[in-house]
Amino acid sequence: MRRITHWIGGKPWTGEARRQGDVYDPATGQIRAKVDFATAAEVSAAVAAAAQALPAWRRVSLSRRSQILFAFRELVRRHSAELAALITAEHGKVASDAAGEVARGLEVVEFACGIPHLLKGAFSENVSTGVDSYSIRQPVGVVAGITPFNFPAMVPMWMFPLAIACGNTFVLKPSEKDPSAPGLLAQLWAEAGLPDGVFNVLHGDKAAVDGLLTHPDVAAVSFVGSTPVARHVYETGAAHGKRVQALGGAKNHMVVLPDADLDLAADAAVSAGFGSAGERCMAISALVAVDPVGDDLVARIRERIGALRVGPGADERSEMGPLVTRPHRDRVASYLDAGVAQGATLAVDGRVHPVIGGSPEGFWLGPSVLDHVTARMSCYTDEIFGPVLCVLRVRSYEAAVDLVNASPYGNGVAVFTCDGGAARRFVSQAQIGMVGVNVPIPVPMAYYSFGGWKASLFGDTHVHGTEGVRFYTRGKVVTSRWLDPSHGGVNLGFPVSS
Ligand code: NAD
């Protein structure tokens, strides 16, 4: 059985593993590898490697850092197909989706290549007579990144390219469900010339995470995952004196106003609801149809779902793959019966959707639609994180905005309309971090920042873009005087400019 182990100090870990986890191929239901789970000693070894590499790395010039990032970018681009294949094999998403994930991660690497420009400070000459002032940004130290299963390459790449470009060293704790892609990324960093210990990968579960959150030499933590764990990471990390950004779960609404182009809206709802089997933090899971479009919209969605090809991610004909694990598949499917028991209508039952070319042992669930859902039903209040679209019908624009804003989550939202004024008002009123207008998955480009509001983000800094640079650096302001014959001698007063 293949063993996946840690990458510490520029090489694979050679120690024994006391605990391991199973890594599945979701399309066959078979175990494809064993992944090591870090002990406290291995957490310490990874942090020590990062701490040891820090002083030299933060002294490396910005030009040299940028050259290494360019080299890494080229290597990731060259190995994109290999990375995508690893993602498909362990996560289950279809090949084109896995390739898209790698491409979006690469955009952050490309943004980080511009680090000399991003770290420029400000300079003011003569803030007082003969005195100059300037601001600089310096690395925070050893940074830990803890990431979820649904984007095993892209979410880590939201974090480490910028953290490393800013002069920090990094310990990545990827999801134990699909851990192979980060191992390949570590090898590519080494090939790009990154010094040993600047990027480390530590595999494991809660024990590894808690070890990082409480380790005195970890200065900052970036987390992406579910809301309960995000809250735990934020509270524990902050209690141990760390800077923390913890991105949590989501329940993303798509509001369809009566004047919307219903074919566009139906295409968008199906793409954003069932792409990657609904296992995206920006997936649309609540479709809010403003009267009277509900029946027409649901009919168009059903028609499109009927034509979707569900099958193994590695099969180029598949449009939707399996779910990541058997327990997750069963939990998602349980919301179909729960929804019906609570009064919803099962408009499309994904349990009977044909699976083309898939093994019966795979973790399959086809696209499903629960209609006439209300805000009290568990299929609406819980994050399902699978291919289940809930349709809620409301009477007015105002009711739609109230519903969206009453949600405890605030990751993404989309409005579909042909009325620019209505869209503009919606953008202003939605209490949500990322808003789409006739765009169902409004994921910001790398040079903007990604993040939600409310229970979708603990901490106040979003990831990548200029907020990412701020998170991975500390500001310092320098006031300097080079003595001039007119320096003025002793003065016990508070410094004021003159
Ligand atoms: P998860 O919260 O179960 O796991 C995330 C990470 O935390 C993993 O590395 C895991 O090993 C670790 N972990 C799990 N339980 C832990 C515990 N009790 N204590 C400490 N660490 C723990 O999330 P997941 O199932 O891997 O990913 C899906 C979730 O991630 C969904 O809720 C989704 O919305 C969310 N997500 C959010 C965003 C975003 O940008 N807001 C992006 C992607 C995914």
Side-chain angles (χ1 to χ4, degrees), residues 55 59 70 95 190 201 211 246 315 343 378 454 456 490:
R59 280 198 306 272
F70 273 112
V201 181
D315 183 334
S378 59
K454 302 189 270 183
S456 296
V490 173

Side-chain angles (χ1 to χ4, degrees), residues 157-235:
M157 284 202 271
W158 282 353
M159 303 171 178
F160 64 70
L162 260 189
I164 289 173
C166 288
N168 302 284
T169 55
F170 202 90
V171 179
L172 173 68
K173 206 306 280 172
S175 171
E176 63 277 34
K177 293 180 184 135
D178 43 15
S180 286
L184 178 52
L185 290 169
Q187 287 174 33
L188 299 180
W189 268 127
E191 216 177 304
L194 191 74
D196 292 350
V198 176
F199 179 69
N200 306 278
V201 181
L202 185 74
H203 293 290
D205 55 3
K206 181 174 170 56
V209 173
D210 289 349
L212 290 168
L213 292 177
T214 54
H215 199 293
D217 291 343
V218 172
V221 179
S222 293
F223 172 87
V224 176
S226 60
T227 288
V229 184
R231 184 178 282 119
H232 164 73
V233 166
Y234 182 74
E235 290 173 353

Side-chain angles (χ1 to χ4, degrees), residues 145-151 154-155 158 173-178 204-210 213 223-230 232-233 246-252 279-282 324 328 383 385 409 411 434 450-452 455-457 463:
I146 299 154
T147 53
F149 80 82
N150 67 321
F151 287 110
M154 183 186 78
V155 170
W158 282 353
K173 206 306 280 172
S175 171
E176 63 277 34
K177 293 180 184 135
D178 43 15
D205 55 3
K206 181 174 170 56
V209 173
D210 289 349
L213 292 177
F223 172 87
V224 176
S226 60
T227 288
V229 184
H232 164 73
V233 166
L247 281 69
K251 195 81 186 178
N252 304 311
E279 292 172 330
R280 289 181 183 143
C281 60
M282 290 292 274
V324 68
H328 184 58
E383 182 188 34
F385 216 58
Y409 297 106
N411 216 39
M434 294 169 282
F450 181 109
S456 296
L457 176 78
V463 292

